[in-house]
Amino acid sequence: MFSLIQMECFVAVAEELHFGEAAARLQMTQPPLSRQIQQLERELDTQLFVRTSRRVVLTEAGRVLLPHARQLLDLADRAAADTKAVGLGAEGSLSIAYTAMAGRSILPAIVKLVNKHLPGVRLNLTERITADQLDEIERGTVDIGLLHPQLNRPTITERTLLTEDMLVAVHTSSPHAASAEPIRLDALAREPLLMYQPKTARYFHDLAMLALQRAGIEPRISQYAGQIPVLLSLANAGLGFAIVPASARHFLPEDVRLRPIDFEGMQVKPVQSTLSLAWNAGTTNPVVFRFLDVLEEDVAQEHSLIRATQLI
């Protein structure tokens, strides 16, 4: 079977119609060039050039071979370029899983970042709760997770993307709804609380309980729900108040207001929510590392991702 070197030599001679000029173009001497052409003719069992002391002419077989040879060389170049691009992380696929809150807050900025700096990368996006994201990252079915921090997965690497305040969601009928002043949680001690399901929303359940604990409140829980939009809907129905992250404003119903919590007035440390970016420490997908580099550069320059977090 002929080689790419033989095809390259054949195309050079066919286009130059001169062995000396073809050899110079390929940065080689004429004898090895002639040997490559001879070997190619033996391989194909046909004459490709008519050689005289004064000129070189393509045979009919040579004219048939020329466009195919050009296509083969072009295909080889594109295969090498595509392979190199994938190896450098400039092309390929990146699967990103995200929580419902991340989907409304940071995900759009990340998608824009990838489309701008890694246009050859195909994104696969899927919504998952944090626990499911961690399982899929460990299995390798998800490359990047946008989730709440976990400390019990040694195979997973995390970095903080953003930190946001926890706020109180109250119905417009509440006397606290009209005031812009921070609310002391102990002022809500007698009101029903809408709480996160501890199994499906453990992270926010624990944050809400921590805030109540710091305020010295024994909560009067009226309803449980696993998702923030559902808690807000229940608050909209007048069933109680909820403690939610600042990004909950993306889901805010018409008759619900968000108010800051007066941790300073209670003389306790504020409770904040953290969103992390996670990936498998043993990943072999080069796109992951290229994405992390792009993310690092963007954060360092305070571009789109930082502006997005400031909107939360």
Side-chain angles (χ1 to χ4, degrees), residues 169-178 234-241 255-257:
V170 294
H171 192 269
T172 51
S173 62
S174 169
H176 303 286
L234 296 178
N236 193 52
L239 296 182
F241 74 96
D255 291 331
V256 175
R257 301 291 181 267

Side-chain angles (χ1 to χ4, degrees), residues 282-302:
T283 182
T284 58
N285 184 356
V287 178
V288 172
F289 302 109
R290 184 71 189 102
F291 166 76
L292 294 173
D293 290 340
V294 166
L295 185 66
E296 192 69 34
E297 293 167 6
D298 186 84
V299 170
Q301 297 175 22
E302 297 189 356

Side-chain angles (χ1 to χ4, degrees), residues 133-176:
Q133 286 190 48
L134 292 169
D135 291 340
E136 294 204 35
I137 292 172
E138 285 190 328
R139 289 196 300 266
T141 53
V142 163
D143 294 312
I144 296 292
L146 303 177
L147 43 75
H148 301 297
Q150 301 288 319
L151 302 176
N152 58 344
R153 304 284 183 123
T155 61
I156 294 178
T157 302
E158 295 184 20
R159 60 163 293 180
T160 299
L161 275 183
L162 64 92
T163 300
E164 54 182 325
D165 292 334
M166 298 297 288
L167 308 176
V168 173
V170 294
H171 192 269
T172 51
S173 62
S174 169
H176 303 286

Side-chain angles (χ1 to χ4, degrees), residues 242-307:
I243 299 174
V244 298
S247 52
R249 62 169 52 97
H250 295 295
F251 304 95
L252 204 61
E254 182 179 357
D255 291 331
V256 175
R257 301 291 181 267
L258 295 181
R259 294 293 177 258
I261 300 174
D262 186 9
F263 288 104
E264 183 176 350
M266 293 184 292
Q267 297 183 340
V268 296
K269 184 179 179 181
V271 174
Q272 294 180 308
S273 168
T274 299
L275 183 70
S276 294
L277 183 143
W279 66 95
N280 192 313
T283 182
T284 58
N285 184 356
V287 178
V288 172
F289 302 109
R290 184 71 189 102
F291 166 76
L292 294 173
D293 290 340
V294 166
L295 185 66
E296 192 69 34
E297 293 167 6
D298 186 84
V299 170
Q301 297 175 22
E302 297 189 356
H303 284 172
S304 60
L305 200 60
I306 290 296
R307 289 198 298 271

Side-chain angles (χ1 to χ4, degrees), residues 36 84 104 115 120-121 147 154 163 173 197 205 227 252:
Q36 291 292 344
K84 183 178 180 180
R104 295 296 296 269
N115 289 340
V121 171
L147 43 75
T163 300
S173 62
Q197 285 280 3
H205 173 275
Q227 294 289 336
L252 204 61

Side-chain angles (χ1 to χ4, degrees), residues 1-311:
M1 179 60 67
F2 52 77
S3 67
L4 289 177
I5 294 176
Q6 291 171 348
M7 287 293 103
E8 189 175 17
C9 290
F10 166 74
V11 170
V13 176
E15 292 178 348
E16 301 293 339
L17 294 178
H18 191 286
F19 275 79
E21 292 178 4
R25 168 174 152 180
L26 297 174
Q27 298 182 334
M28 61 191 301
T29 59
Q30 187 170 332
L33 173 62
S34 297
R35 285 195 295 272
Q36 291 292 344
I37 297 299
Q38 291 167 2
Q39 290 172 4
L40 177 61
E41 289 178 324
R42 285 198 297 270
E43 189 70 39
L44 297 176
D45 194 24
T46 189
Q47 186 176 358
L48 300 173
F49 298 100
V50 175
R51 308 166 182 81
T52 69
S53 58
R54 302 183 63 179
R55 64 176 187 158
V56 176
V57 179
L58 274 169
T59 65
E60 185 62 28
R63 282 192 289 271
V64 170
L65 177 61
L66 183 56
H68 295 296
R70 286 170 173 158
Q71 290 176 357
L72 286 171
L73 293 176
D74 180 62
L75 181 61
D77 288 341
R78 283 188 284 123
D82 290 348
T83 302
K84 183 178 180 180
V86 171
L88 293 174
E91 293 185 4
S93 64
L94 184 70
S95 59
I96 299 179
Y98 56 91
T99 64
M101 298 303 293
R104 295 296 296 269
S105 58
I106 201 71
L107 181 65
I110 286 179
V111 170
K112 290 178 181 178
L113 197 66
V114 172
N115 289 340
K116 178 181 178 180
H117 296 283
L118 300 171
V121 171
R122 182 178 66 260
L123 284 176
N124 300 313
L125 306 175
T126 182
E127 182 179 331
R128 294 284 189 274
I129 63 173
T130 290
D132 290 345
Q133 286 190 48
L134 292 169
D135 291 340
E136 294 204 35
I137 292 172
E138 285 190 328
R139 289 196 300 266
T141 53
V142 163
D143 294 312
I144 296 292
L146 303 177
L147 43 75
H148 301 297
Q150 301 288 319
L151 302 176
N152 58 344
R153 304 284 183 123
T155 61
I156 294 178
T157 302
E158 295 184 20
R159 60 163 293 180
T160 299
L161 275 183
L162 64 92
T163 300
E164 54 182 325
D165 292 334
M166 298 297 288
L167 308 176
V168 173
V170 294
H171 192 269
T172 51
S173 62
S174 169
H176 303 286
S179 173
E181 295 297 317
I183 300 175
R184 286 176 57 108
L185 289 179
D186 51 10
L188 300 170
R190 296 191 177 186
E191 296 190 21
L193 171 68
L194 303 168
M195 178 52 78
Y196 303 92
Q197 285 280 3
K199 288 186 178 180
T200 58
R202 168 60 65 180
Y203 179 77
F204 283 117
H205 173 275
D206 290 351
L207 281 184
M209 292 301 294
L210 178 61
L212 296 167
Q213 179 184 358
R214 288 180 178 177
I217 297 175
E218 187 69 31
R220 297 176 57 241
I221 299 173
S222 62
Q223 298 290 334
Y224 285 92
Q227 294 289 336
I228 291 173
V230 178
L231 285 179
L232 293 175
S233 295
L234 296 178
N236 193 52
L239 296 182
F241 74 96
I243 299 174
V244 298
S247 52
R249 62 169 52 97
H250 295 295
F251 304 95
L252 204 61
E254 182 179 357
D255 291 331
V256 175
R257 301 291 181 267
L258 295 181
R259 294 293 177 258
I261 300 174
D262 186 9
F263 288 104
E264 183 176 350
M266 293 184 292
Q267 297 183 340
V268 296
K269 184 179 179 181
V271 174
Q272 294 180 308
S273 168
T274 299
L275 183 70
S276 294
L277 183 143
W279 66 95
N280 192 313
T283 182
T284 58
N285 184 356
V287 178
V288 172
F289 302 109
R290 184 71 189 102
F291 166 76
L292 294 173
D293 290 340
V294 166
L295 185 66
E296 192 69 34
E297 293 167 6
D298 186 84
V299 170
Q301 297 175 22
E302 297 189 356
H303 284 172
S304 60
L305 200 60
I306 290 296
R307 289 198 298 271
T309 60
Q310 290 172 342
L311 296 177

